[in-house]
Amino acid sequence: ILPPGVSKWLAQILPKSCLRGSKKALPKSCPWTPEARFGQAFGKPFWQPWRLTWKVECDALDENDYEALAKIVSEKMTFRDVKGIPRGGIPFEKALKPYCSNNDTDPLLICDDVYTTGTSMREVYEDGALGIVVFARNEIQDDWVKAIWQLSI
């Protein structure tokens, strides 16, 4: 059984209308947006020559959703402190803060909402840190990063 915030959120992404059709046909709460560019997800330009045909829109997640996700992480990982990747990882960081052990022997946890290439996670990596993301769009290339949910098809 999923925590209440997560199951409510999953109900928003399950309709097939979220995965195809025009943007006009999509419900506003749908976290899957077809034909979006990766750079738009983070509010700054990226220079990759490839175009992604969809993105995970984590702006659809609210405080309760992130609290439910943080609970899942707290039952699987121990960490001394947490650092969120701006902008998407900040709400996740806030929800994870109450679970910090403050024990210097535990690792730092670096969090983000979506893992696509892993670049933003690697940019803030500190020796011995662990990483957690809500969604991984691709296979994770870094052995220190885990995903709550990962696209595997």
Side-chain angles (χ1 to χ4, degrees), residues 14-152:
L14 290 178
K16 291 183 180 182
S17 64
C18 291
L19 298 175
R20 63 178 184 269
S22 71
K23 290 182 182 178
K24 292 178 184 174
L26 294 174
K28 288 187 178 192
S29 61
C30 184
W32 301 93
T33 307
E35 300 301 320
R37 290 187 181 273
F38 177 66
Q40 293 172 339
F42 297 99
K44 59 183 178 180
F46 282 79
W47 301 104
Q48 288 90 353
W50 42 270
R51 178 184 169 104
L52 300 175
T53 59
W54 58 275
K55 75 172 192 171
V56 177
E57 184 55 79
C58 284
D59 289 343
L61 298 176
D62 64 19
E63 186 176 327
N64 291 330
D65 298 322
Y66 278 112
E67 287 172 2
L69 293 164
K71 179 67 173 159
I72 292 169
V73 173
S74 75
E75 292 176 358
K76 303 289 183 182
M77 305 172 100
T78 303
F79 46 95
R80 74 172 183 272
D81 196 10
V82 61
K83 179 190 293 187
I85 304 293
R87 162 178 94 91
I90 301 303
F92 198 18
E93 173 188 6
K94 182 180 174 188
L96 286 162
K97 276 285 187 193
Y99 299 104
C100 293
S101 70
N102 298 314
N103 183 341
D104 290 338
T105 61
D106 291 333
L108 171 68
L109 183 65
I110 300 170
C111 66
D112 204 356
D113 57 351
V114 180
Y115 180 104
T116 300
T117 63
T119 300
S120 57
M121 295 289 281
R122 285 188 292 278
E123 287 175 353
V124 298
Y125 177 76
E126 295 179 16
D127 193 37
L130 298 175
I132 187 72
V133 295
V134 177
F135 296 101
R137 293 177 49 109
N138 302 305
E139 182 178 343
I140 294 176
Q141 302 299 313
D142 306 283
D143 62 357
W144 58 277
V145 179
K146 304 294 181 209
I148 297 173
W149 290 297
Q150 181 167 354
L151 184 64
S152 63

